[in-house]
């Protein structure tokens, strides 16, 4: 992105337009205790030098064998190129179908591919991210079942649970947390009565693939809906989708489909459901129809948001569709195709298996004997904590230490690390990591 500084004349003209004399007056409403009055001393650089410095910083970035909700994935150049075309870079909200057919069709295609990927009937036009999408999914389940209790697996991503609890706090709904089994899956035996939803993530935060069919049976036996969450959309290129296993609502993060890390955000939330619940679905929904000439066309439909109906009747006040990220994800999915997604997903799993075997050869032990996709938990050999820092100095992030994560203070996680490998990790990089791991032992 280019930086275009304002000249003194530019600033003077802008201040005149807004009716103030100086930038000090412009920011006068900001409390002094949160303002910085002193100069920020930044050495002036030419554009070429600045670009070179950033390139050098990027070249020295460590290789991370850690995901925990944000895994490294390759982004094909055509995805970035197509998504960057100027006709897609619009902030226009597609309320008026007569001038928004392109945007509406992009959203429609995104919805269609998302629903097919997850095996569900309906997908909306995206949410902020995976965490807020989960919260909206749970509120949706409560609207359907009208029971003020929710059961959540503790193996959902801790940050997602924090967001969910924040959403639910003002509602007074009761949240019951379900513990984990020794194999790293959710224990549904303590599922209480009178719950609207059972919320399970798969693959869960520890990387274990849940038995969704069994979980669905447990939820439905109590008259609850099964809400399946996920942080790694790529997994559904290889695994049996949630819809075919009894899920009623599925929500998650679609960042794996061509969206860079960007220091944590933004992402693109995916939210799908069975068609019975379509009228309780939050956010935008683009539909296909025919215009007065019988031509295929697209419109926003069934959008029960506060911008469309009375506030007290709205199912949600979520007010963005992460439109450009949804478009990017749609480009990624459409150009990879079903076979392409499956091949990339298979690469993820194969690289993760290779990483796990290499770690076992270095003295690590798998914490769970359970199937995983591209993340897994390993217990480190004695003294690894010091070697972790050495590995970091040598350019590798050797997993995520679970003991530092909220909700994982249990002694069995004391020396446990969550590892991740994807298609972005080459065989050469993995072997280099194993060699350095052996060297610093």
């Amino acid at each position: 992105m280019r930086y275009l500084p304002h000249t003194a004349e530019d600033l003077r003209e802008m201040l005149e337009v807004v009716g103030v004399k100086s930038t000090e007056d412009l920011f006068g409403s900001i409390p002094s205790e949160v303002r910085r009055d002193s100069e920020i001393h930044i050495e002036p650089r030419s554009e070429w030098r600045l670009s070179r410095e950033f390139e050098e910083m990027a070249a020295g970035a460590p290789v991370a064998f850690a995901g925990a909700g944000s895994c490294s994935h390759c982004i094909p150049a055509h995805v970035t190129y197509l998504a960057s075309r100027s006709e897609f870079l619009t902030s226009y909200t597609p309320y008026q179908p007569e001038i928004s057919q392109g945007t509406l069709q992009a959203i429609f295609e995104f919805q269609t591919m998302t629903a097919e990927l997850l095996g569900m009937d309906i997908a909306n036009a995206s949410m902020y991210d995976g965490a807020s999408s989960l919260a909206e999914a749970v509120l949706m389940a409560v609207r359907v079942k009208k029971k003020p209790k929710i059961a959540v697996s503790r193996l959902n991503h801790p940050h997602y649970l924090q967001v969910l609890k924040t959403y639910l706090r003002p509602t007074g709904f009761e949240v019951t947390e379900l513990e984990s089994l020794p194999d790293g899956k959710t224990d549904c035996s303590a599922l209480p009565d009178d719950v609207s939803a059972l919320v399970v993530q798969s693959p869960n935060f520890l990387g274990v693939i849940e038995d969704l069919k069994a979980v669905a049976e447990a939820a439905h036996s109590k008259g609850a809906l099964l809400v399946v969450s996920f942080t790694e959309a790529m997994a559904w290129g290889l695994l049996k989708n949630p819809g075919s296993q009894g899920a009623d609502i599925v929500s998650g993060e679609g960042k794996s489909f061509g969206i860079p890390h960007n220091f944590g955000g933004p992402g693109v939330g995916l939210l799908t459901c069975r068609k019975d619940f379509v009228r309780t679905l939050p956010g935008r929904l683009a539909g296909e129809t025919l215009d007065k000439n019988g031509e295929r066309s697209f419109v926003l439909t069934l959008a029960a948001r506060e911008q469309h109906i009375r506030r007290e009747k709205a199912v949600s006040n979520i007010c963005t569709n992460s439109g450009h990220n949804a478009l990017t994800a749609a480009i990624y999915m459409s150009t990879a195709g079903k076979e392409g997604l499956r091949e990339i997903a298979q690469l993820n799993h194969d690289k993760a298996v290779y990483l796990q075997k290499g770690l076992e050869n270095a003295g690590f032990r798998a914490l769970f004997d359970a199937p995983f996709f591209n993340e897994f938990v390993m217990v480190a050999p004695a003294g690894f904590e010091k070697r972790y820092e050495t590995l970091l100095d040598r350019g590798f992030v050797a997993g995520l230490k679970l003991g530092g994560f909220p909700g994982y203070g249990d002694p069995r996680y004391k020396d446990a690390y969550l590892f991740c490998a994807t298609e972005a990790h080459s065989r050469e990089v993995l072997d280099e990591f194993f060699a350095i791991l052996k060297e610093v032992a």
Side-chain angles (χ1 to χ4, degrees):
M1 177 180 290
R2 295 287 188 245
Y3 172 62
L4 302 174
H6 300 304
T7 64
E9 184 63 20
D10 293 335
L11 293 174
R12 187 188 62 76
E13 290 181 6
M14 287 190 286
L15 291 172
E16 282 182 1
V17 169
V18 298
V20 295
K21 294 180 179 178
S22 66
T23 51
E24 185 69 21
D25 294 339
L26 181 64
F27 299 120
S29 60
I30 300 174
S32 59
E33 59 268 23
V34 298
R35 295 175 60 186
R36 181 190 177 102
D37 294 327
S38 59
E39 294 286 333
I40 299 176
H41 298 290
I42 299 176
E43 180 190 352
R45 297 165 170 85
S46 68
E47 180 181 342
W48 299 278
R49 180 181 166 189
L50 195 60
S51 297
R52 188 169 63 251
E53 287 182 6
F54 278 121
E55 288 169 1
E56 289 172 356
M57 288 169 63
V63 176
F65 292 111
S70 187
C71 303
S72 294
H73 287 290
C74 297
I75 301 177
H78 71 267
V79 173
T80 305
Y81 171 75
L82 290 173
S84 301
R85 288 182 62 91
S86 59
E87 59 266 43
F88 294 141
L89 300 177
T90 173
S91 59
Y92 181 70
T93 307
Y95 293 132
Q96 297 168 276
E98 63 272 26
I99 58 173
S100 305
Q101 283 301 293
T103 300
L104 288 167
Q105 181 173 2
I107 292 174
F108 179 82
E109 305 294 354
F110 167 80
Q111 292 173 181
T112 303
M113 286 182 278
T114 300
E116 287 184 358
L117 178 73
L118 301 175
M120 302 298 286
D121 299 325
I122 307 288
N124 75 356
S126 83
M127 317 295 282
Y128 298 134
D129 52 29
S132 53
S133 180
L134 172 60
E136 292 284 355
V138 170
L139 292 174
M140 184 178 164
V142 174
R143 285 194 293 274
V144 172
K145 287 296 182 178
K146 304 187 186 311
K147 301 174 187 175
K149 293 183 181 177
I150 299 105
V152 299
S153 166
R154 293 194 64 174
L155 297 174
N156 282 280
H157 194 296
H159 295 166
Y160 282 34
L161 288 180
Q162 287 178 325
V163 172
L164 175 61
K165 290 174 182 175
T166 301
Y167 265 69
L168 295 182
R169 190 175 300 137
T171 68
F173 295 154
E174 183 179 328
V175 178
T176 299
E177 293 195 4
L178 302 179
E179 299 296 331
S180 61
L181 293 165
D183 63 359
K185 296 178 183 175
T186 301
D187 182 1
C188 296
S189 62
L191 183 64
D193 295 323
D194 203 26
V195 291
S196 283
L198 167 57
V199 184
V200 171
Q201 178 181 323
S202 186
N204 63 35
F205 179 66
L206 301 179
V208 174
I209 299 168
E210 296 275 2
D211 183 350
L212 292 181
K213 192 172 181 181
V215 174
E217 289 173 358
H220 296 157
S221 70
K222 297 285 186 178
L225 299 183
L226 171 60
V227 176
V228 174
S229 175
F230 59 87
T231 60
E232 176 53 288
M234 192 67 76
W236 305 117
L238 190 63
L239 305 181
K240 190 179 288 187
N241 61 50
S244 64
Q245 299 180 79
D248 299 294
I249 303 172
V250 183
S251 69
E253 173 60 56
K255 195 171 189 174
S256 298
F257 297 148
I259 300 167
H261 284 300
N262 287 331
F263 299 98
V268 56
L270 311 182
L271 181 56
T272 66
C273 68
R274 301 202 178 281
K275 61 182 178 183
D276 298 345
F277 314 136
V278 65
R279 290 189 176 276
T280 62
L281 190 67
R284 293 186 174 91
L285 186 64
E288 183 183 28
T289 185
L290 299 177
D291 65 15
K292 67 179 184 180
N293 299 319
E295 300 289 337
R296 186 190 189 210
S297 57
F298 303 90
V299 293
L300 284 184
T301 183
L302 298 176
R305 303 165 54 224
E306 65 177 28
Q307 287 173 293
H308 301 280
I309 64 175
R310 286 183 296 162
R311 180 184 293 266
E312 65 273 19
K313 296 287 186 182
V315 297
S316 170
N317 63 0
I318 194 164
C319 57
T320 183
N321 68 344
S322 294
H324 192 257
N325 279 353
L327 171 78
T328 303
I331 292 171
Y332 186 102
M333 286 189 281
S334 63
T335 53
K338 290 181 181 178
E339 291 303 315
L341 277 182
R342 182 177 179 80
E343 288 177 12
I344 299 168
Q346 184 69 56
L347 267 177
N348 273 251
H349 181 63
D350 292 349
K351 295 290 178 69
V353 169
Y354 189 72
L355 175 60
Q356 189 190 52
K357 287 181 179 175
L359 290 167
E360 285 175 344
N361 292 336
F364 286 76
R365 171 177 60 84
L367 185 57
F368 305 116
D369 181 16
F372 61 87
F373 176 58
N374 63 6
E375 287 191 276
F376 52 89
V377 178
M378 301 293 281
V379 178
F384 178 71
E385 199 158 356
K386 291 182 180 176
R387 292 157 59 194
Y388 185 95
E389 297 300 323
T390 306
L391 287 164
L392 191 58
D393 291 339
R394 299 286 294 271
F396 291 99
V397 179
L400 174 76
K401 185 166 186 182
L402 280 175
F405 244 82
Y408 288 86
D410 190 297
R412 64 178 162 162
Y413 299 117
K414 180 176 177 294
D415 297 315
Y417 290 77
L418 181 63
F419 282 91
C420 175
T422 71
E423 84 282 3
H425 297 99
S426 68
R427 173 77 175 263
E428 290 75 17
V429 166
L430 285 161
D431 287 342
E432 182 186 357
F433 171 64
F434 297 148
I436 294 176
L437 187 61
K438 186 177 179 182
E439 184 184 323
V440 302

